[in-house]
Amino acid sequence: MTFDLGGMMRQMLGSAAGNGGNSERRKDVVYDAAIVGYGPAGGVMATLLAEKHGLKVCIIDPNLEKRWIPNYGVWLEEWEALDKDLQIGLGDCLERTWEVTDSFFGGSNGVPPGERCRIKRAYGRVSRDKMQANLKARLSSAGVAKIRGRVDPKTVEHSTEGTSLRLDDGERIDCRLLVDCSGHRSELVERSGVDNPGVQIAYGAEVEVLDGHAPYDENAMLFMDYRTDYVAETELSADELRELDEVPTFLYAMPLGKSPNGRRKIFFEETSLVARPPISFDLCKERLDRRLKHHGITVAKVLDEEFCYIPMGGAMPKLDQRVVAFGGAAALVHAATGYMQVRMLAAAGGVARAIASELTKEDHPAASEAAARRAYQALWPAKARLQRDFHVFGGEFLMAQHAPILRGFFDGFFRLPLPLWAGFLSGYPNLPHNELHQDWQGRLGFGFQFFLKLPPLVQLQLMKAGVLNGWRYGLIRSVSPLASGEEAKDLRFADEAESIRAAAIAVDSASGAPPALGVASDMAPSDRGSLQEGGTTDEKELVVM
């Protein structure tokens, strides 16, 4: 495929001038990649494809200038590794760091309520504003076109040369590859099986407080406080007391120093780790209020609020489709923890390289289909899929447990050697310590060591879950020699990609010319919602990953 230099320069100048509307766009532009969704995943992928690989890229979103909603927490070791790997200025996006993290798992399993679990591993807060501004500048510099609009999923059509689609205003966009970064509720991505994820719900508030925030250390990030002793039995009915244990939540908190007025500032978040169906934001907010009141923490002013809704687990995208899913749309959320930001970044470099390796080849028939196939191979190789099976089992186990079991579970988890638990929390190739979990022997060894750290009652629950659901959720495959069969499938990928190219050459030879853009897709539109990654509802700001 050829491009004229003059047209490319005009498109680049239009983007650099801040062309967020459609009036300046040429109607005959064919983009190498069209990115749907301008959240962190879309911004990172567009930056890598344009800045690092020189591709002509557009990014499509109905809310191009909207402020990104969540502030992300990350393990500093992981963030620094990603900054070094991607070279897109991630290190400049950190807002604050803490050298240690604290957790509280007391109140059951023989652990005193006041016992603190301190982890000597640095944690950081990523500034949404700094990251958004950094990527915005890079996108402009790389000539990425920003197109305001919503893709009509019924209009997506694929051909040998690429993909065409129309926006809700009727305008047509042509590209060689469509990359969907619009979040879990994507209407463009086909999924394998029934999509029935668990959901992490969190209500967060950045506040100014009076008289400090004891009993929490202002120099430590609070990772988890799973205690339920913040409510006296006399304050609740029998049903409410039962709900406190059966519908567990924990507190997560980031001390942020002093505001200009001298008051201490802190971000509090009450979180339901994973549940199906999800619990309500109101319940999280109510519990946060009770918890702070119990500890004598008085909120003087609410600076910001956050409502997070994060699907975990659920169906994977089909790996042989033409639309490349990325971020939440690709089920990259850790199925047992809810982490996605670092996993998305860990995947981004390899996926971008895979796409560019096909789209930059000269005279390559079926480059679009081959690029999609290689992107999925980079995104979800067998090793990563097997790790995900292990995580899915963990997420299903966790959402079935009451608060006392979860306290025992996490108390045992953080008693493991740091590389073992850190590798599980990262759970994706290219992240620190993940190598300890990348083969079935490593996962089996982790499980055995973890089991020995658990209280007897938690061991019993875990054994029951393994017997009843180990096969259903992929645990058996992920920790046995059956994993080798899955990994062997990856070895056939090069032959498959070559077959795609050979078939396209045969079609070209028979017809004398490649087919034009506009061959209808056989994908049925999804009936899932239409929220973009980082999108909002009319009632409140809601983060949907």
Side-chain angles (χ1 to χ4, degrees):
M1 184 170 289
T2 60
F3 303 114
D4 70 284
L5 181 60
M8 181 180 292
M9 291 301 296
R10 285 190 293 273
Q11 189 271 316
M12 290 174 65
L13 290 171
S15 176
N19 176 24
N22 299 345
S23 60
E24 299 290 330
R25 286 207 313 282
R26 292 173 55 87
K27 304 299 184 182
D28 57 350
V29 171
V30 177
Y31 297 98
D32 290 316
I35 311 295
V36 180
Y38 184 30
V44 167
M45 183 53 61
T47 296
L48 292 175
L49 292 175
E51 180 184 286
K52 304 300 182 184
H53 299 287
L55 299 185
K56 181 186 290 186
V57 178
C58 70
I59 193 162
I60 304 167
D61 194 288
N63 299 300
L64 287 169
E65 301 304 322
K66 183 172 179 60
R67 186 189 188 198
W68 291 351
I69 298 171
N71 288 289
Y72 295 95
V74 295
W75 296 105
L76 202 56
E77 180 183 15
E78 295 177 353
W79 195 256
E80 289 173 345
L82 292 166
D83 181 37
K84 182 178 180 180
D85 177 51
L86 295 177
Q87 297 291 305
I88 56 172
L90 296 179
D92 297 330
C93 299
L94 285 171
E95 180 179 354
R96 191 175 181 88
T97 61
W98 301 266
E99 290 302 312
V100 295
T101 59
D102 288 344
S103 294
F104 295 88
F105 305 119
S108 54
N109 306 294
V111 179
E115 183 174 305
R116 180 180 64 190
C117 171
R118 170 154 288 186
I119 300 165
K120 294 182 179 179
R121 191 185 192 206
Y123 204 79
R125 189 191 204 204
V126 179
S127 166
R128 55 182 166 181
D129 294 331
K130 289 181 179 180
M131 189 165 183
Q132 187 172 11
N134 170 53
L135 291 176
K136 180 179 180 180
R138 289 177 176 274
L139 292 173
S140 178
S141 178
V144 173
K146 293 181 180 178
I147 301 173
R148 180 174 289 107
R150 190 181 301 277
V151 174
D152 181 349
K154 297 185 296 295
T155 67
V156 175
E157 301 175 342
H158 303 300
S159 74
T160 303
E161 287 189 332
T163 299
S164 69
L165 57 90
R166 291 191 183 275
L167 305 182
D168 49 3
D169 64 1
E171 177 151 4
R172 173 170 165 154
I173 304 294
D174 292 325
C175 61
R176 300 175 70 195
L177 188 69
L178 183 61
V179 183
D180 186 6
C181 302
S182 62
H184 174 80
R185 299 188 183 193
S186 164
E187 296 181 291
L188 304 175
V189 173
E190 296 180 277
R191 299 195 179 276
S192 298
V194 178
D195 190 31
N196 186 28
V199 178
Q200 183 172 118
I201 289 288
Y203 166 76
E206 187 169 313
V207 301
E208 291 178 352
V209 298
L210 303 176
D211 304 323
H213 39 74
Y216 306 119
D217 189 337
E218 64 180 333
N219 296 311
M221 185 272 170
L222 179 68
F223 193 65
M224 283 180 162
D225 184 350
Y226 251 119
R227 296 173 296 183
T228 52
D229 61 353
Y230 60 89
V231 178
E233 292 188 9
T234 56
E235 295 180 25
L236 301 178
S237 68
D239 287 343
E240 289 173 323
L241 283 171
R242 185 168 58 253
E243 183 184 57
L244 194 63
D245 270 355
E246 294 180 358
V247 186
T249 59
F250 66 89
L251 178 64
Y252 170 100
M254 294 175 163
L256 301 174
K258 289 187 177 181
S259 294
N261 60 16
R263 290 175 179 159
R264 297 192 180 279
K265 186 166 63 171
I266 187 165
F267 175 75
F268 290 111
E269 190 168 72
E270 192 75 20
T271 302
S272 164
L273 179 60
V274 59
R276 185 192 298 119
I279 75 169
S280 71
F281 291 112
D282 288 341
L283 180 58
C284 285
K285 188 176 187 300
E286 176 189 323
R287 290 187 178 180
L288 176 59
D289 291 342
R290 286 180 179 271
R291 199 186 292 267
L292 297 185
K293 181 179 179 181
H294 171 76
H295 291 308
I297 300 172
T298 303
V299 173
K301 184 179 181 180
V302 177
L303 304 174
D304 197 10
E305 290 183 300
E306 205 171 274
F307 299 84
C308 293
Y309 180 102
I310 305 174
M312 296 165 55
M316 290 270 288
K318 291 184 178 179
L319 304 184
D320 59 354
Q321 64 185 299
R322 287 287 296 274
V323 177
V324 175
F326 191 64
L332 271 173
V333 175
H334 194 302
T337 68
Y339 276 115
M340 188 186 76
Q341 185 81 330
V342 295
R343 291 161 60 83
M344 176 273 290
L345 291 166
V351 172
R353 286 190 293 271
I355 291 170
S357 72
E358 296 296 333
L359 296 187
T360 56
K361 289 179 180 177
E362 293 290 335
D363 300 322
H364 180 16
S368 298
E369 185 175 0
R373 198 65 58 88
R374 287 200 182 276
Y376 276 116
Q377 177 67 8
L379 180 66
W380 282 119
K383 285 184 180 295
R385 298 197 303 272
L386 289 161
Q387 277 191 264
R388 186 180 187 272
D389 287 342
F390 194 62
H391 301 156
V392 167
F393 172 80
E396 294 291 334
F397 172 80
L398 291 170
M399 78 172 75
Q401 307 309 312
H402 297 174
I405 297 297
L406 292 180
R407 287 193 285 265
F409 181 94
F410 286 110
D411 183 68
F413 182 82
F414 287 112
R415 292 181 188 275
L416 287 166
L418 188 151
L420 276 181
W421 64 254
F424 178 85
L425 291 184
S426 64
Y428 194 83
N430 307 323
L431 289 172
H433 310 298
N434 186 67
E435 68 278 2
L436 300 176
H437 296 258
Q438 283 195 151
D439 56 41
W440 69 266
Q441 297 96 329
R443 290 187 290 272
L444 182 62
F446 163 82
F448 181 73
Q449 292 186 61
F450 181 32
F451 187 81
L452 295 179
K453 298 288 186 183
L454 297 173
L457 187 57
V458 183
Q459 290 177 331
L460 177 62
Q461 294 298 317
L462 198 55
M463 285 190 293
K464 286 171 57 179
V467 171
L468 296 175
N469 297 316
W471 186 261
R472 177 184 178 188
Y473 295 122
L475 174 68
I476 304 303
R477 180 173 60 238
S478 70
V479 296
S480 74
L482 293 173
S484 301
E486 292 296 312
E487 293 171 357
K489 295 177 182 178
D490 282 357
L491 301 177
R492 299 196 294 269
F493 175 76
D495 292 337
E496 183 181 350
E498 184 59 31
S499 296
I500 292 172
R501 182 175 181 275
I505 291 174
V507 169
D508 288 356
S509 299
S511 64
L517 286 166
V519 178
S521 167
D522 59 0
M523 186 187 114
S526 166
D527 61 358
R528 292 183 291 275
S530 60
L531 285 179
Q532 301 274 340
E533 179 181 33
T536 64
T537 65
D538 293 334
E539 294 82 13
K540 59 183 72 172
E541 290 200 329
L542 173 65
V543 183
V544 180
M545 306 301 291

